[in-house]
Amino acid sequence: MNLEVRHLKLIKSIAEEGSVTKAGSRLYLTQSALSHQLRDVEQKLGVSLFTRMNKRMVLTPAGERLLASAHTVLDELKRTEEDLRHIALEREGILRISTECYTCYHWLPSLLQIFHHQFPRIDVQIVVEATRNPHQALLDGKIDLALVNSPVRNNKLIYKPLFRDEMVVILSKNHHLNARPFINPEDLLNEHLILYTKPEENYALKQVLSPAGVSPKRVSNVQLTEAIVEMVKAGIGVGILSRWTVSPQLEAGVISALPLTRNGLFRDWSAAMQRHKATPAYLAAFLKLLADNSVLIMKTEKKSGKANKLKLLKAVDCTDSYTRA
DNA sequence: AGGCAGACGCGACTCCCACT
DNA sequence: AGTGGGAGTCGCGTCTGCCT
C-alpha cells in the first residue's frame, strides 16, 4: 500500500487551501516538504492528483477520487481517536455481571440506576446464564464481576466481602411451627418445602438439611418469590428464603419467619473477580457502590429476644416490583 | 512578487551485524 | 537475549532557479 495518512492530509489541505504554500502553513510544514510529498505519492500511484494551473493547484479526476476517500478516512480516524480517548478515560466500556442467586436481581437494578448516573456510557450487561456457575464464568472471561455466596473459593479469583444475609423459614400465620423460637431441620421432615432454587442448588438444603440427613416429605421448585409467599400464605407449604426478600410481607404481617437452627443460617456475600486482571475505574466504582450500599441493602438490627429484623433503606429499595423473566 | 519544484544537507529512525 | 555501532533510508528544511 502506497497511501499514508499524511498523503490524505496533504491532498485535503492543498484542495481546501488552493496552494501548496498555504497547505504547508496549515500542516506546519514547508512548501518544499509538501511538494516532495506530493511528487512522491503521485509517482507511487502513477497518476497526477493536481493540475498545476499557473499559481493554482486544481484537482484532477484522480485527485477528486482520492479527496473523497481522504474525507471518509480522516473523519473515521477522528471518530476513532475520540472513542479511544473515552476508553482510555475508562468512561466507556462493558461491565458484565452475574450473581450466584436469582433473588439478587431484585435489588441489583436499583443499584444499577445509581451506577448509570455515574457512568452513563458504561453498558452494564447482566449475564443470567452465568448464575449457576459464576466462578467458572469469571475464569472463562465471560463476566467481569460476580456476586457470590458459596463458601468454595478459587485462588485465581479475588473476593471482596460485601454483606451477610439470613435464610429463614417462612410459614403461614396459623402454622403449628410458629410456636417454636426457631426451626430445627427435623421439624421440616413432614413439610412440603417450596424453594426458589432447585434442591441440588439450594443453600439451605446443602448447608443444613442434607448434613442433618433430613429429607422433607415433598420439595417443590417455584422460581417466583411472590408465588412462594402466596403458597405459604395459603398453607400449601413452607419456604426458605433470605429474610430481606420477604421483608414487606413480614412487615405487613401476612406471613411469619423463623430462623433455621438455633444459630440461624447466614450467607456471606462477596464480589468476585479475576485476580490477575486490571480493574478499570468503572469496575472499581461499581465495587465501591456495592460495598457502600451493602449496608443499606440489608441492614439487620438486634431486637431484644427477637429475631433479627431486616431494614431496607431507600437508597436501594428492594420492594420495587420486579419479577424474573 | 508569489508560488512551485529540484538539489542538497541534516537529523531521526530502522536494519543488520558483531560483541558480550 | 540484550546492547552498541555503522550503513542505509526517509522525511523535512534551506536555498535557489524557473514560471506566471
Side-chain angles (χ1 to χ4, degrees), chain A residues 64 81 93 103 109 114 119 146 150 173 175 181 202 205 208 211 214 232 238 245 247 269 273 282 288 311 321:
Chain A
E64 294 278 8
E81 284 183 356
T103 50
I114 303 169
F119 293 89
S150 162
K173 292 299 285 184
H175 198 285
N202 189 270
L205 250 63
V208 178
V214 169
V232 168
V238 301
T245 313
S247 172
W269 287 89
M273 56 198 153
Y282 58 79
K288 186 170 187 306
K311 261 194 176 176
S321 65

Side-chain angles (χ1 to χ4, degrees), chain A residues 57-73:
Chain A
M57 303 286 278
V58 180
L59 282 164
T60 63
E64 294 278 8
R65 173 66 187 85
L66 183 55
L67 179 63
S69 291
H71 280 127
T72 307
V73 173

